[in-house]
Amino acid sequence: MTNPIPFGRPFIDEREAEAVLKVLKSGTLVHGPQTAAFEKEFAARSDAQEAVALSSCTAGLHLSLFALGIGPGDSVAVPAMTHVATAHAVELVGARPYFVDVDPLTGNIDIELLHSANFPNLRAIMPVHYLGLPCDMTAICSYADSMKAVVIEDCALAVGSTYDERPVGTFGLCGSFSFYPTKQITSIEGGMVVTNDAAFAATLRKVRAFGYSKSLEERSRPGQYDVNRLGFNYRMSEVEAAVGLVQLEKLDLILALRRRNYELLAAEIEQVDGIKSFPTEHGAGKTSHYCFNLVLAAEHVHLRDAIQDNLGAAGIGTSIHYPSAVPQFTYYREKYGYTKGQFPVAEWLASGTISLPVGPHVQEEQAIAMARTVRQTLERLLA
Ligand SMILES: *Cc1c(COP(=O)(O)O)cnc(C)c1O
């Protein structure tokens, strides 16, 4: 193809640039009106009472567990197929992640395996809306209730995804979103935790900033404060929030373009034998089209890298979500002694899928050409 298509490219124009300049010239780089406005707008968009802006989605996951006092001796259920951040957040508080294999149809946590697992001291379940397709939140929340565990949704790839016609993030206690540059919208780096629990949001605000007893606005004298609990510096900057606010205004457009590109790819690729993709709707869940996934039939898995190389040579950027089942990453394998084959579905997805770009940076003609090239490449290599 004439112009290479990267897997992800932030959808940035003069509006973000102007917003950033304005913040830089204002002199207020943290603790300012941009972050407050971004929280308010994001909460409204998420049908959530509260939104707490943070330095990343990982910070949000970690902070949520930390704020709940989850730690050594506790266990947290995590899907075996996710970004390592989900499991790392659990490790960082000293609790143990218990990996649950995923459903081959959706890539989301397998509900039957969740029910049949035997978790010691289960305190939380962290469902991940894999590639933006919501998990079965009704089943997960009712299981969590029966176990007296909380639900913390990993919504990193799910801005704009809905379950039962409601935005994801508040089906359990809270949900953490990512604004990393390749996600649906970006704030450069950044994350947001949404919740309907005002007391929990207040705790998050406190522990994202050192555990100060009083926030900047609440202090009667500048520079004077007490610290009444342990905390981090996980704040979002005003520059990041300003970018996020402009991106939020573009969200409907971004989601529409993602859907268009997704459907153009699906129309061609669905006709290739030996290739599947994930559903865009499942149960009450609807995706926000993070990417188009090629899921190779078992007999073609050995061709994955060759397909990826051929697409790259044709100018099509790809990604892999994710390159290993999390328990098979060296850190987890060595720490907990996992062996190959313990998470067969997650391991198959790690070796047998390729993610194609559908972001708003892909023009309509490019998406049409890409769909044709992908189909031809697959037909040639799978023949
Ligand atoms: C990207 C991603 C994260 C991490 O997000 P950051 O904002 O980079 O911390 C966490 N979970 C999932 C599922 C992701 O895809």
Side-chain angles (χ1 to χ4, degrees):
M1 251 181 287
T2 41
N3 291 320
I5 305 170
F7 174 74
R9 188 162 72 211
F11 196 51
I12 299 276
D13 60 34
E14 282 306 306
R15 287 200 281 162
E16 284 87 352
E18 274 166 31
V20 166
L21 265 186
K22 220 164 126 189
V23 169
L24 291 177
K25 289 177 182 167
S26 77
T28 303
L29 301 184
V30 286
H31 301 293
Q34 301 292 327
T35 307
F38 189 28
E39 290 182 335
K40 189 162 164 262
E41 295 295 324
F42 197 84
R45 177 81 205 203
S46 307
D47 280 349
Q49 259 175 48
E50 300 270 356
V52 180
L54 299 160
S55 52
S56 69
C57 170
T58 309
L61 298 171
H62 181 206
L63 208 60
S64 298
L65 294 164
F66 177 81
L68 290 163
I70 293 174
D74 296 329
S75 69
V76 176
V78 173
M81 176 44 65
T82 177
H83 190 285
V84 72
T86 326
H88 271 7
V90 180
E91 287 282 307
L92 282 168
V93 294
R96 175 162 181 179
Y98 271 80
F99 295 102
V100 179
D101 207 358
V102 294
D103 179 338
L105 180 67
T106 62
N108 282 330
I109 195 163
D110 186 313
I111 302 295
E112 275 178 37
L113 290 177
L114 181 69
H115 277 107
S116 60
N118 195 2
F119 309 103
N121 300 323
L122 183 71
R123 294 282 311 277
I125 302 171
M126 298 173 85
V128 177
H129 307 304
Y130 182 61
L131 307 177
L133 182 68
C135 298
D136 182 344
M137 294 312 296
T138 309
I140 291 168
C141 292
S142 80
Y143 175 73
D145 284 349
S146 74
M147 300 295 285
K148 298 196 168 36
V150 300
V151 173
I152 298 170
E153 295 172 57
D154 181 337
C155 301
L157 299 181
V159 174
S161 300
T162 60
Y163 183 82
D164 247 343
E165 308 296 325
R166 253 177 65 205
V168 294
T170 53
F171 288 90
L173 173 66
C174 63
S176 187
F177 290 84
S178 174
F179 308 126
Y180 180 77
T182 58
K183 313 278 164 133
Q184 279 92 339
I185 58 171
T186 187
S187 64
I188 307 175
E189 291 272 12
M192 189 80 80
V193 171
V194 297
T195 180
N196 286 332
D197 184 326
F200 182 65
T203 306
L204 289 178
R205 291 205 159 84
K206 186 194 271 279
V207 293
R208 85 173 157 185
F210 307 107
Y212 290 147
S213 60
K214 287 187 167 136
S215 70
L216 218 55
E217 312 82 70
E218 290 165 339
R219 293 177 199 162
S220 50
R221 286 207 182 80
Q224 295 198 11
Y225 53 80
D226 188 18
V227 174
N228 54 7
R229 64 175 293 172
L230 192 59
F232 297 86
N233 179 353
Y234 272 170
R235 287 181 302 246
M236 176 180 278
S237 77
E238 284 286 282
V239 169
E240 290 167 323
V243 172
L245 268 172
V246 178
Q247 290 269 297
L248 208 49
E249 283 174 26
K250 296 178 176 173
L251 179 57
D252 287 329
L253 171 65
I254 288 173
L255 295 176
L257 294 174
R258 285 183 170 278
R259 182 192 190 105
R260 178 202 67 197
N261 291 338
Y262 187 101
E263 286 171 356
L264 287 169
L265 278 170
E268 282 282 335
I269 295 163
E270 272 164 5
Q271 304 177 42
V272 182
D273 283 341
I275 296 288
K276 280 205 196 127
S277 197
F278 296 113
T280 54
E281 298 187 12
H282 188 252
K286 289 191 182 140
T287 190
S288 54
H289 305 94
Y290 175 66
C291 60
F292 184 92
N293 228 256
L294 300 174
V295 183
L296 306 184
E299 70 266 28
H300 296 318
V301 163
H302 66 285
L303 294 170
R304 198 264 301 268
D305 294 353
I307 296 169
Q308 207 184 10
D309 290 347
N310 275 266
L311 294 176
I316 299 170
T318 56
S319 190
I320 301 292
H321 296 91
Y322 296 89
S324 171
V326 178
Q328 309 290 2
F329 278 125
T330 303
Y331 172 84
Y332 288 96
R333 209 186 50 237
E334 287 184 349
K335 180 162 181 181
Y336 296 110
Y338 294 115
T339 51
K340 278 241 167 317
Q342 268 185 279
F343 303 93
V345 180
E347 291 171 39
W348 162 62
L349 291 176
S351 60
T353 68
I354 300 171
S355 304
L356 298 173
V358 304
H361 63 292
V362 184
Q363 311 280 320
E364 187 164 15
E365 319 78 71
Q366 283 183 308
I368 293 168
M370 169 166 64
R372 207 178 307 126
T373 306
V374 173
R375 180 179 174 174
Q376 286 163 357
T377 304
L378 291 171
E379 283 173 347
R380 183 160 50 83
L381 292 173
L382 303 186

